[in-house]
Amino acid sequence: MSESARERRSINRRTFIGSGAAAVAAGVLGVPTLAGWRGQSSTGTQLRSGIRLPPPFRRPMAVPPVLTPSSRTEDADVYQMRQYPVPLEVVPGYRTTVWTYGGSFPGPTIRSQSGRRTVVEHTNKLPVPTVVHLHGGVTPPENDGYPTDLILPDESWVGYGHGGDTTVRTRTYEYPLQQRGATLWYHDHRMDFTGPAVWNGLAGFHLVTDAEEERLDLPDGARELPLALMDRAFDAQGQFLYPSLDPELIDPPGVRQPYESGMLGDVILVNGRAWPYHQVDTALYRLRFLNASNARRYRLRFEVGGEEADLPITQIGSDHGLLAGAVRHEALTLAPAERFDVLVDFRSLQPGTHVRVVNDLGSGTTADVMRFDVTRRVTDELEVPEVLSPGIERLHENEAVRTRQMTFRSQTIDGMHGWVVNGEPFDPHMAHATVELGSTEIWELTGDFHHPIHLHLAPFQVLGRGAGGPGPFDSGWKDTIDLRPAETARIIVRFDGYRGRYVFHCHNLEHEDMMMMANFDVV
Ligand code: C2O
Ligand code: CU
Ligand code: CU
C-alpha cells in the first residue's frame, strides 16, 4: 500500500460530508432532473468497455458450486469461506481479476434448511476491509453485516473504520434461518464502498429450503438453476472498470461524474460469464433469478424466434419464498436485489431450438442476456403446480400501529452529488424509526428516480402503488421494492425477529454508497 493510502486510511471518518477538499477534487456535480430520466429504464449511466466485446452465446453458462460444510453439528452446518482475488475468464479471451468468495464468481452457493443454524466463518484476504450481509436473512443484528462491522485484512488496518465492531482477518456469522424457504443472497456491505466491492465480484446465492417447498414436486438437480444477473464494464486490459473517486477504495467514497446516479455496464453476465448459453432438455425448469447488478433493471422475455410466441413465465416465488399460487407473466421485470423464482417449460420445443433471453430495457449489447439451447428430447411429466403456499399469511392494514413516510431523493451534500432518506445522508449514529419488536407498520415510500428500496430483517408486503394496488411483480413476501420515479408505494411490514439496529437503503449501490441509507431500531 502506498504512503498516501496509509495516511488516508488513518482518517476514521469519511470525508464525503464536510470536506472541502473532496468536494473541490470532484467538482461540483449537477443533480439530475426528473425530466431527464422520464421513460428511462434504469437510473444510472452506462460506461463503455475498452475491449472489443465478443459476440454473445460463445461460452456455456456456469453454475456456482454448492459449498460443502466443513463440519456439521447436531443443530448447525459450519462453513469456511475465504475472500480473495482470482483471475477468471469473465469475457472470452480475457483474465479479469475478480474479488471472490471461495475462488468462485458468483460465490459458492450455500444451501440451508429452514430453521437449521448456518455458521459461516469468513476470512478476508482482499486488499480492503469487507462486511458480509445475508440479504433476506432474518438475522440478529451482530451477525447481519452492519456496514461498519468490518473484517480488516490485517493488523496494519487497526484504527481504520467508523467505530463499528471490527475484527481482524476473520469473522464468524451465525444465521438462525428461522424463516421460510427462499432465494437469499450474500454480498459485501462495507459502508461507503459496497458498490465497488460487489462490482468486483462479492456476491453469491444462499438458498434456503423448507418442508412446504419440498412437498411440491418442483424441478431440481440440473433443472433448478440459480441465475445471477450482473452488468459490468471492462477496461482495455479486460479488468473490471469502476469509476471510484479513490481507486484504492479508502477515502473518499463515491464515483466520478456522471456515474453518481448508478453504474451501468455494457456487458451482461449470467453467473459470472458474459452472455452465456445453456443446454436444456425438453423439460420443465426452475430458474431462480437474482438481479445482482449495481443499478440496472431488466425486463426479461424468453424469445423463441420465428413465428413462435415467447415462452410464458410462471412465477412461483418472490424475495421471501413461495407465493400463494402461481402467477403468469409474459415478461419479468427485476430491479437490483430482487429475486424471482420462476418455472419455464421447454417441453413444447424441438431439439435444435434456441430460446434467447432478451432484456427489453436494454439496447445494443445490453438487450441480450443469455440463450437456452434445447438439445435433448426427454419425457418429463412434472406438472406446473397452481397452488403453492395456500396458508401464506396476508398482512392487513388494520394491524398496523402507525404509518411513516420515507422519501428517497437526490440532494447536493456540501457541493457533492448525494442521495438522501428524508433529507438526511446516512449516519450510523442516528435512527429514522424506532419500532417495537413484533409490531406492524405501514411505510409510504416516495422516490424521485428509480430506487430499489430494501429493508434488512423484516420482509414486507406491498399494499399499493400510487392510487392503485400492487404491481404485477409485487406478489408475496418481499424485501426489496422496485420504487419507480415520482411514485409513492405503500408497504406493510412486521418487525419480527430480533431487537437492535438495522439499516434500510436503496439497493442502487451507488445511491447506497452516496448516503441513501438509514437506520431503524427494533426495541
Ligand atoms: Cu442486499 Cu443492505 O443489502
Ligand atoms: Cu439486506
Ligand atoms: Cu436509489
Side-chain angles (χ1 to χ4, degrees):
M1 168 168 322
S2 68
E3 263 315 299
S4 67
R6 223 173 261 286
E7 254 162 54
R8 279 177 297 144
R9 213 174 64 185
S10 66
I11 302 169
N12 285 358
R13 227 186 100 76
R14 59 184 166 192
T15 50
F16 187 88
I17 300 167
S19 158
V24 170
V28 176
L29 308 181
V31 174
T33 61
L34 181 59
W37 290 101
R38 257 195 219 290
Q40 293 229 6
S41 48
S42 303
T43 294
T45 304
Q46 188 164 308
L47 190 57
R48 250 183 93 144
S49 289
I51 52 172
R52 249 182 93 104
L53 299 179
F57 323 130
R58 276 285 186 85
R59 284 175 80 215
M61 188 183 79
V63 177
V66 174
L67 196 62
T68 315
S70 58
S71 65
R72 278 179 219 270
T73 66
E74 207 169 299
D75 71 330
D77 297 332
V78 182
Y79 295 90
Q80 321 278 330
M81 189 111 63
R82 234 160 37 101
Q83 308 172 4
Y84 61 103
V86 187
L88 294 174
E89 194 173 0
V90 179
V91 172
Y94 292 94
R95 302 231 136 233
T96 305
T97 301
V98 181
W99 287 5
T100 69
Y101 290 114
S104 132
F105 174 50
T109 299
I110 296 180
R111 283 195 174 258
S112 296
Q113 193 71 36
S114 162
R116 187 173 159 82
R117 214 150 50 87
T118 295
V119 178
V120 191
E121 186 188 299
H122 277 272
T123 303
N124 180 4
K125 297 274 185 190
L126 291 165
V128 296
T130 60
V131 171
V132 185
H133 168 58
L134 176 60
H135 182 126
V138 178
T139 307
E142 61 279 14
N143 289 297
D144 193 49
Y146 191 80
T148 57
D149 291 348
L150 308 174
I151 314 174
L152 304 174
D154 58 53
E155 278 80 12
S156 79
W157 285 84
V158 172
Y160 170 87
H162 314 273
D165 174 19
T166 59
T167 61
V168 178
R169 218 147 21 241
T170 69
R171 185 180 181 102
T172 303
Y173 294 87
E174 296 206 13
Y175 304 114
L177 299 177
Q178 301 285 344
Q179 58 187 104
R180 305 177 77 217
T183 307
L184 309 185
W185 63 302
Y186 60 99
H187 62 78
D188 197 70
H189 214 301
R190 174 187 166 209
M191 179 154 135
D192 299 340
F193 295 100
T194 294
V198 172
W199 185 269
N200 281 339
L202 294 179
F205 283 99
H206 190 145
L207 306 177
V208 180
T209 187
D210 62 14
E212 185 172 45
E213 179 192 334
E214 280 165 2
R215 269 198 303 274
L216 292 173
D217 210 357
L218 297 173
D220 59 8
R223 296 192 190 147
E224 178 194 4
L225 299 169
L227 300 171
L229 306 178
M230 305 178 189
D231 59 334
R232 292 292 183 270
F234 298 82
D235 69 13
Q237 282 70 49
Q239 301 304 316
F240 287 140
L241 188 54
Y242 190 87
S244 305
L245 288 177
D246 176 17
E248 290 181 82
L249 308 181
I250 297 167
D251 188 65
V255 291
R256 279 198 323 266
Q257 209 182 358
Y259 303 102
E260 66 278 1
S261 293
M263 262 301 292
L264 307 175
D266 54 358
V267 177
I268 306 296
L269 313 183
V270 180
N271 291 346
R273 289 186 180 179
W275 305 292
Y277 67 84
H278 188 68
Q279 298 188 334
V280 293
D281 300 335
T282 54
L284 185 67
Y285 278 74
R286 178 180 185 187
L287 308 178
R288 307 180 73 163
F289 281 105
L290 156 67
N291 183 353
S293 309
N294 283 37
R296 184 176 292 280
R297 296 168 71 247
Y298 300 82
R299 182 176 186 269
L300 305 180
R301 270 188 309 109
F302 286 72
E303 213 174 67
V304 182
E307 304 286 272
E308 300 215 35
D310 293 347
L311 291 183
I313 301 166
T314 303
Q315 186 189 353
I316 58 169
S318 60
D319 299 341
H320 276 251
L322 294 173
L323 306 180
V327 174
R328 297 275 166 338
H329 301 287
E330 282 167 22
L332 201 60
T333 303
L334 304 89
E338 284 192 301
R339 286 90 71 210
F340 286 89
D341 202 341
V342 305
L343 299 178
V344 173
D345 198 339
F346 296 103
R347 284 178 290 203
S348 64
L349 304 177
Q350 298 298 322
T353 309
H354 290 171
V355 180
R356 282 166 92 115
V357 182
V358 297
N359 170 27
D360 285 340
L361 301 185
S363 60
T365 59
T366 61
D368 272 316
V369 176
M370 68 174 292
R371 194 178 71 192
F372 286 100
D373 296 353
V374 181
T375 52
R376 200 163 61 115
R377 171 162 317 282
V378 298
T379 321
D380 173 18
E381 262 143 33
L382 277 191
E383 272 172 47
V384 176
E386 291 305 319
V387 177
L388 300 161
S389 183
I392 195 171
E393 188 189 0
R394 192 99 197 91
L395 296 180
H396 292 287
E397 290 199 34
N398 56 19
E399 294 168 48
V401 296
R402 65 176 291 171
T403 300
R404 295 178 202 265
Q405 276 80 33
M406 298 289 176
T407 62
F408 300 84
R409 293 188 190 287
S410 160
Q411 186 171 299
T412 304
I413 308 168
D414 285 342
M416 298 272 289
H417 183 268
W419 300 91
V420 293
V421 181
N422 284 357
E424 305 275 355
F426 181 53
D427 176 354
H429 306 291
M430 182 191 118
H432 274 59
T434 300
V435 302
E436 234 170 283
L437 182 66
S439 69
T440 302
E441 299 194 354
I442 292 171
W443 284 21
E444 293 178 351
L445 314 173
T446 305
D448 50 0
F449 304 114
H450 288 105
H451 298 294
I453 303 304
H454 167 51
L455 270 67
H456 284 216
L457 178 72
F460 55 79
Q461 294 173 357
V462 179
L463 292 171
R465 290 171 180 266
F473 305 104
D474 292 336
S475 312
W477 285 98
K478 301 277 297 165
D479 59 41
T480 307
I481 177 172
D482 181 16
L483 192 62
R484 294 169 305 181
E487 179 178 62
T488 296
R490 302 174 75 229
I491 62 171
I492 184 163
V493 47
R494 188 164 56 213
F495 294 92
D496 266 341
Y498 306 93
R499 289 190 174 83
R501 174 158 291 186
Y502 291 91
V503 290
F504 64 103
H505 59 89
C506 180
H507 223 288
N508 173 316
L509 299 182
E510 284 66 48
H511 296 189
E512 177 183 344
D513 284 347
M514 288 179 272
M515 312 294 139
M516 192 172 263
M517 179 148 66
N519 291 305
F520 65 91
D521 287 337
V522 183
V523 298

